Amino acid sequence: MCFSATASFTAGTLLLGIGTLVLRAARRPNELAFAAIPLLFAIQQLVEGVVWLTFNFDAPLLNTLMTHVYSFFSHVLWPAYIPLAVYMLEPPGRRRRALIPVVAIGAAVSTYLLYMLVVYSVVSRPIGQHVEYDSPHFYAAAVMLLYLVSTTVSPLLSTHRMVKVFGALALLSFGAVYYFYTAWFISVWCFFAALLSSVIYFHFVLPQPRRSLTEVAS
């Protein structure tokens, strides 16, 4: 993550283990996308570990490649993937229908940021104990707001308790990281979101409360 290669590799390795357990705990095909989130975060953290190593070993070509791979996760994958995964997990009802526009928003944000990544290259550089990703288009207020809606509000719309917890923690971490680490926001928030994704494990192992017909319809 933003602190060191060791921190990134440690977080990535930890999430590989958690992600494997979560995938094994998923019982139905519609659960697999949501269950894969910790594993995908693990890959992203391992990629950032390599980004750190490129600074230490002066490997500019590898740095460019890994920076763009990391940015694909942070900019393109998550705004489209998270609302879609939550939508697939949700039972039929008003909550599921309410997620449809959020899925569309996430897809639009993802498409826009993919285009911007192609047109404007992202540059990573070490600043003290942090990695700064020079991606100024990401900070447009409207894009940031829609990104936040797709990645944190979509879980909050779920009827599943631990999915809501994941969304709430992601939203709280967004505020804290943006306040304390604005210059390194992409790296730091992705790190904390990665660690917070471990709560997804509890969605699959804790008993699911029975829902009344009224709750399902809502």
Side-chain angles (χ1 to χ4, degrees):
M1 68 161 240
C2 52
F3 299 133
S4 68
T6 301
S8 291
F9 286 129
T10 300
T13 302
L14 176 64
L15 286 169
L16 278 177
I18 294 173
T20 301
L21 291 175
V22 174
L23 277 178
R24 288 180 176 177
R27 299 176 183 86
R28 294 183 292 272
N30 68 305
E31 297 176 333
L32 292 176
F34 191 73
I37 289 176
L39 199 59
L40 291 170
F41 268 122
I43 296 170
Q44 184 181 7
Q45 289 304 305
L46 294 174
V47 167
E48 189 165 42
V50 177
V51 171
W52 268 109
L53 294 180
T54 63
F55 302 138
N56 298 331
F57 294 98
D58 191 23
L61 292 179
L62 183 59
N63 172 267
T64 299
L65 175 62
M66 291 295 101
T67 296
H68 281 78
V69 172
Y70 181 89
S71 297
F72 175 81
F73 277 91
S74 63
H75 289 55
V76 180
L77 178 68
W78 294 128
Y81 188 91
I82 289 179
L84 182 60
V86 174
Y87 173 83
M88 293 173 62
L89 194 66
E90 196 64 21
R94 283 189 291 179
R95 296 291 185 92
R96 196 171 201 259
R97 292 193 296 272
L99 282 164
I100 293 175
V102 183
V103 171
I105 289 171
V109 171
S110 177
T111 301
Y112 169 75
L113 290 176
L114 176 61
Y115 169 78
M116 297 301 284
L117 282 178
V118 172
V119 175
Y120 301 101
S121 295
V122 178
V123 177
S124 63
R125 60 177 67 90
I127 306 293
Q129 297 297 313
H130 307 281
V131 175
E132 179 184 30
Y133 293 91
D134 188 0
S135 178
H137 56 272
F138 183 76
Y139 291 97
V143 177
M144 179 71 83
L145 177 61
L146 294 176
Y147 186 102
L148 189 63
V149 167
S150 62
T151 55
T152 65
V153 174
S154 56
L156 291 173
L157 291 174
S158 176
T159 57
H160 299 287
R161 180 178 56 186
M162 294 311 299
V163 178
K164 287 182 177 179
V165 169
F166 171 63
L169 292 174
L171 184 59
L172 289 172
S173 66
F174 172 92
V177 170
Y178 195 80
Y179 182 80
F180 290 105
Y181 298 99
T182 304
W184 310 283
F185 173 77
I186 295 173
S187 177
V188 180
W189 190 42
C190 282
F191 174 80
F192 283 110
L195 293 183
L196 293 173
S197 72
S198 61
V199 305
I200 291 173
Y201 174 73
F202 296 104
H203 168 75
F204 293 99
V205 299
L206 293 179
Q208 296 295 317
R210 291 181 177 272
R211 295 183 179 84
S212 66
L213 293 177
T214 302
E215 289 175 318
V216 171
S218 65

